[in-house]
Amino acid sequence: MNGEPPQPDQPPVKSLRQLARAEESCTRCPLYRDATQAVPGEGPSYAAFMLVGEQPGDKEDIAGRPFVGPAGRVLDQALHDAGIAREQTFVTNAVKHFKHEMRGKRRLHKRPNNDEIERCKIWLDFERSLVRPSTVIALGVTAARA
Ligand code: SF4
């Protein structure tokens, strides 16, 4: 209907850049409050493979990029062994903000709950519709749920 205000659940996202901005301003669940920033997916919009992890870790939260910490090294090795260049893949997470709890000065990873996964799914759906990968690989239980 003309004149209807945009729905918060349906932001106007037409590019990965717009998507990253929308994710950064997302408040659909509480996880944005304690994270440094949203961590958008990364890779070319024509990627054939989409790899979906659970959520950003401590290093990813600070860098604002997915799979740059220890998990990134494991992923790089796995891609190398499979003969797939990381540049040909789109890597992302089911949940875009880092969920953690403080243990002293350390931030310890905490698994996102079903509600957080469900609320964040809109961004993964946008990534899939923009990249249109032929293969989506879920890395772990959370990604498989999303
Ligand atoms: S984790 Fe996802 S749903 Fe929650 S605030 Fe961040 S981007 Fe939004």
Side-chain angles (χ1 to χ4, degrees):
M1 196 166 80
N2 281 343
E4 209 169 71
Q7 298 301 302
D9 283 356
Q10 296 171 329
V13 172
K14 296 196 170 83
S15 69
L16 290 172
R17 189 174 298 211
Q18 281 183 349
L19 179 56
R21 280 201 294 267
E23 290 167 356
E24 181 55 28
S25 57
C26 178
T27 57
R28 290 170 57 84
C29 85
L31 295 186
Y32 72 94
R33 291 184 191 142
D34 296 326
T36 306
Q37 57 195 321
V39 178
E42 185 177 278
S45 57
Y46 53 81
F49 298 97
M50 180 176 282
L51 308 179
V52 186
E54 179 187 77
Q55 65 157 350
D58 182 69
K59 297 275 190 297
E60 287 83 6
D61 168 77
I62 292 165
R65 297 181 55 210
F67 290 96
V68 294
R73 287 194 288 278
V74 173
L75 178 65
D76 286 344
Q77 185 61 51
L79 289 173
H80 178 265
D81 293 348
I84 301 171
R86 178 153 170 178
E87 298 72 40
Q88 294 172 354
T89 64
F90 189 91
V91 293
T92 189
N93 286 295
V95 170
K96 309 305 185 200
H97 279 102
F98 176 38
K99 183 174 183 179
H100 59 278
E101 60 186 4
M102 296 305 295
R103 192 74 58 84
K105 288 186 177 171
R106 294 181 61 211
R107 302 192 302 171
L108 294 186
H109 163 278
K110 209 171 168 192
R111 178 167 283 176
N113 62 37
N114 286 346
D115 186 56
E116 291 153 353
I117 295 167
E118 189 56 38
R119 285 175 185 273
C120 211
K121 188 171 174 295
I122 185 174
W123 307 125
L124 184 59
D125 289 343
F126 270 121
E127 287 172 330
R128 290 177 62 184
S129 67
L130 289 168
V131 178
R132 301 171 68 85
S134 59
T135 306
V136 179
I137 302 166
L139 306 170
V141 177
T142 300
R145 255 190 232 157

